[in-house]
Amino acid sequence: MKEQSSMRSWSHKPSSQQKQSGAATAATTRRAKHWLGDVVADTQSEQAGKDQETPRDSTQKAKYENLMEQVVSEENAQAAWLAVKRNGGAPGIDRMTTGQLRDHIDKHWETLRSKLLGGRYVPSPVKRVEIPKPNGGTRMLGIPTVVDRWIQQMLLQVLQFIFDPTFSEHSYGFRPNRSAHDAVRAAQRYAQGGKKWVVDMDITKFFDRVNHDILMHRIGQSIRDKRVLRLIGAYLRAGIMVEGLIVRSEQGTPQGGPLSPLLANIYLHELDRELERRGLAFCRYADDCNIYVGSQRAAQRVLTGVSQWVSRHLRLEVNASKSGTGRPWERKFLGFRISRQGQIEAAPQSVERFKNKVRELWRSCQSLSSEQLRDNWRAYVRGWWGYYRLAEERRSVFRLEGWIRRHIRKCFWLRWHNPKGRMRALRRLGLKGRLLKVALSSQGAWPLSRTGSLHLALNNTRLRQHGFLMPSDLAATV
C-alpha cells in the first residue's frame, strides 16, 4: 500500500512539474537508472549470500525471484515513461499516442500494477507495418501500443542490468555505452592486424524466426520470477493485428518494441560463445555478424561450419545469397567498409543510397516552400553525416558536393516555372544584361543547372549563407 501511494504521488504531480526542462528530464532518468543499478546490485549481493549459504547444483542456477516488484517500482516506472515519451513513435492498434500515455497511467496505474504483480496482465497485439529495405524487399515491424511499450521499457531497464554484463565483448548492438561505430572500429583493428579475409554472415529473417522455446529457456536460466517469464512469453505470443484479425505468433520477436533488441542479444549470446570457443575474431551488431580470418580457405571453412552450427543449435538459417566471404574492402559492415589501406570509408551501397535520397529531397514537384525544402535537407544531411563522420576516407562523399548543388539549382530552376518567373528570380539574385538570356533557354533543367549564369546566381557562397549545408561544412565544424 505504501508503494501504491508513492506511485500516486508521482502520477498526480502539478502541471508545472510535469513540464520539465530537457536537463531536468535527463537528470530524473539518470537518478532512476542509478537507483536501478543499486537495486540490481543489492539483489545480486543478496543472492550471492544465499548461494553461499545454500550451494546450488548445475540445474539450480536461476536467480532473481522477485523481479516484478522492481519492474513496477516508482522510479522504474518514471524512467520508462520518460524514455517512451522521448522516443515518440507511431500509435499501436488502440491509436493512443505517447502524449496521451501520462493521463492513461494516472487513471489506471493501480489496476495495471495489480495485474503485473499478479501475473495477469495480457498485452495487446501489435500493429503490422511494412517498411522498405535499402537493398529491396520489405521489413516487417510490429508496433506495440504505447502502454505495452511503457511496460516493455520497464522490463528492459531491469533486465538490462542482469543480462548485459554477461554478454560478449564482441557484441555491440543495442547495448549501453556501445555503438555501431565501436563495432566498425573493432573490424578495422582486425583488418589492420593481418586478418585480410572476412566472413559476412546474414541470418534469414532473424527477428521473424526466433524460436520461443529456446529463448524462454535461456531467459529462465537466469530469471526465476514466473510473473516476469509469463509476461515476456505473453509479449512473444501477443500476435499481430492484420485487417482486423489477430494472427497469433508461433515464433519470432517483432521489431518495434523496446524489449526486442535485448531478447535478440540473449538469443544470439550462444553464437557469441561458440565463436569465442573456436578462437575466432568477430564483431556482431544484432543479427549482423562479420568474422575475420587470415586466408580464403579459412573463410570458406568458417562460413560452412558456423552456418551448420546456427542451423543445428539456433534453428535459424544463414542466407546463402547475402552471406559470403571476401576481402574487407569487398564486403560492407554496418554501412562501412575497410579499404585496402585499412581506412574506414562509406560503403559504395551507402553512397548510392545517399545519392538516391538527394534526388528525392530535391524533386521540384513537392508542395513545400523553399525554406521547408532547405530544412528537410539540413535535417537529413546532419543525420547522415552524424553516422558517416566515422569515415576516415571521405573523398567519395566530398566529390558529390558539386553534383548535390547542381540538383539544388535544377530544383529551383524548375520551381521558377516559366521564362517570366525565371527572369524575375535571376534579377532578384543580382544577374544583369546578357546573363539573363538563360531565362529564355529551351534547354532542359539538368543541362542548364551547369551554366555559368545559374552558378553565379546560386553560387556556393550564397547557398552556404542561406543554410544549404554540405558534408564538408559539417566536417569542418567537428
Side-chain angles (χ1 to χ4, degrees):
M1 184 64 73
K2 180 179 179 182
E3 196 164 358
Q4 289 181 359
S5 173
S6 175
M7 189 63 199
R8 283 199 299 273
S9 68
W10 166 70
S11 61
H12 292 286
K13 289 180 180 178
S15 59
S16 62
Q17 291 183 353
Q18 288 180 356
K19 297 178 181 179
Q20 303 178 47
S21 67
T25 298
T28 304
T29 306
R30 286 196 299 272
R31 286 196 298 272
K33 288 185 176 180
H34 175 73
W35 179 88
L36 284 171
D38 292 343
V39 167
V40 174
D42 291 344
T43 305
Q44 291 173 335
S45 176
E46 180 182 342
Q47 187 64 44
K50 289 180 181 179
D51 289 347
Q52 290 178 358
E53 294 171 8
T54 308
R56 296 182 185 270
D57 60 31
S58 60
T59 63
Q60 295 177 308
K61 292 181 180 178
K63 303 175 183 178
Y64 306 107
E65 300 178 358
N66 297 299
L67 274 185
M68 190 58 80
E69 281 72 18
Q70 297 172 32
V71 170
V72 300
S73 68
E74 174 186 347
E75 291 87 350
N76 194 40
Q78 168 79 341
W81 172 73
L82 290 171
V84 172
K85 179 184 176 184
R86 182 173 60 251
N87 293 335
I93 61 170
D94 62 356
R95 300 182 182 179
M96 184 189 298
T97 66
T98 54
Q100 298 170 316
L101 177 60
R102 179 61 179 257
D103 290 339
H104 183 84
I105 296 172
D106 289 351
K107 189 178 296 184
H108 301 289
W109 165 247
E110 291 187 17
T111 301
L112 289 168
R113 181 177 181 277
S114 175
K115 286 183 178 181
L116 289 167
L117 286 172
R120 303 187 307 276
Y121 180 79
V122 180
S124 301
V126 299
K127 181 172 70 174
R128 186 174 72 175
V129 176
E130 296 183 8
I131 61 172
K133 290 183 177 180
N135 54 354
T138 58
R139 175 180 286 112
M140 302 292 296
L141 292 184
I143 309 299
T145 64
V146 292
V147 172
D148 281 326
R149 294 212 292 271
W150 173 59
I151 294 173
Q152 285 192 35
Q153 184 67 32
M154 288 197 290
L155 277 171
L156 172 66
Q157 290 168 176
V158 172
L159 296 178
Q160 188 98 58
F161 282 101
I162 296 169
F163 285 100
D164 193 78
T166 70
F167 292 154
S168 168
E169 63 175 323
H170 306 290
S171 168
Y172 295 90
F174 308 107
R175 297 183 60 188
N177 303 315
R178 286 175 169 248
S179 68
H181 285 182
D182 295 326
V184 175
R185 290 190 190 99
Q188 181 187 35
R189 289 193 293 272
Y190 291 139
Q192 290 176 340
K195 297 187 181 299
K196 297 296 187 181
W197 288 86
V198 59
V199 179
D200 185 2
M201 258 189 5
D202 181 274
I203 298 176
T204 303
K205 295 184 177 179
F206 167 72
F207 284 94
D208 297 332
R209 297 183 180 177
V210 166
N211 184 280
H212 291 175
D213 293 336
I214 294 175
L215 176 59
M216 292 306 300
H217 172 72
R218 289 182 181 157
I219 297 172
Q221 289 177 323
S222 298
I223 305 300
R224 178 165 288 185
D225 192 322
K226 292 183 179 179
R227 298 165 299 178
V228 171
L229 295 173
R230 190 179 298 120
L231 182 59
I232 295 172
Y235 275 118
L236 291 173
R237 298 186 300 273
I240 302 169
M241 183 72 77
V242 181
E243 297 180 354
L245 299 176
I246 299 174
V247 179
R248 292 297 174 189
S249 304
E250 301 297 330
Q251 60 181 5
T253 170
Q255 291 175 272
L259 198 56
S260 181
L262 177 63
L263 298 181
N265 277 333
I266 292 172
Y267 197 85
L268 291 174
H269 178 54
E270 288 303 310
L271 172 61
D272 296 340
R273 292 179 60 183
E274 176 63 18
L275 296 179
E276 289 173 344
R277 188 186 67 78
R278 298 185 184 198
L280 295 171
F282 70 97
C283 307
R284 183 177 65 79
Y285 191 95
D287 60 330
D288 200 343
C289 184
N290 275 14
I291 306 169
Y292 294 84
V293 296
S295 68
Q296 183 178 16
R297 180 177 295 180
Q300 292 290 351
R301 184 174 64 249
V302 167
L303 178 59
T304 301
V306 174
S307 297
Q308 292 172 351
W309 188 94
V310 167
S311 176
R312 186 166 57 251
H313 294 277
L314 300 182
R315 299 185 189 176
L316 298 170
E317 297 298 325
V318 173
N319 190 326
S321 63
K322 294 183 179 179
S323 302
T325 63
R327 299 289 199 174
W329 52 88
E330 296 171 343
R331 313 292 300 193
K332 70 179 180 68
F333 181 49
L334 302 176
F336 296 93
R337 70 176 183 180
I338 311 301
S339 71
R340 292 175 183 269
Q341 293 74 34
Q343 290 185 307
I344 299 171
E345 61 183 9
Q349 301 94 319
S350 303
V351 175
E352 193 57 40
R353 286 198 295 272
F354 176 69
K355 292 172 67 176
N356 289 338
K357 192 67 177 180
V358 170
R359 296 184 183 101
E360 177 187 330
L361 288 172
W362 290 110
R363 287 182 297 112
S364 62
C365 56
Q366 302 177 76
S367 300
L368 299 172
S369 67
S370 299
E371 289 76 14
Q372 288 172 320
L373 287 172
R374 179 202 60 196
D375 292 345
N376 288 348
W377 164 250
R378 283 168 62 94
Y380 173 73
V381 76
R382 283 183 184 277
W384 192 88
W385 184 253
Y387 184 71
Y388 285 98
R389 72 180 188 277
L390 180 67
E392 298 163 338
E393 171 51 67
R394 300 172 173 182
R395 283 176 295 183
S396 62
V397 176
F398 292 168
R399 277 197 296 261
L400 292 175
E401 293 186 357
W403 176 84
I404 295 170
R405 292 189 187 97
R406 189 175 172 188
H407 270 278
I408 295 173
R409 294 178 183 115
K410 171 195 167 188
C411 175
F412 281 107
W413 177 263
L414 290 171
R415 287 168 68 87
W416 294 336
H417 298 303
N418 53 43
K420 184 177 179 180
R422 289 162 186 161
M423 185 77 73
R424 186 166 55 245
L426 292 173
R427 281 195 175 120
R428 218 170 34 240
L429 291 168
L431 265 60
K432 299 177 182 179
R434 296 177 60 185
L435 293 173
L436 293 172
K437 288 184 177 181
V438 71
L440 306 174
S441 174
S442 61
Q443 279 189 290
W446 184 244
L448 284 171
S449 64
R450 295 188 64 180
T451 61
S453 295
L454 222 53
H455 269 256
L456 184 60
L458 296 173
N459 58 62
N460 296 357
T461 302
R462 175 169 277 152
L463 290 174
R464 189 177 294 110
Q465 287 174 344
H466 285 81
F468 294 86
L469 296 175
M470 295 293 132
S472 61
D473 299 323
L474 297 170
T477 62
V478 176

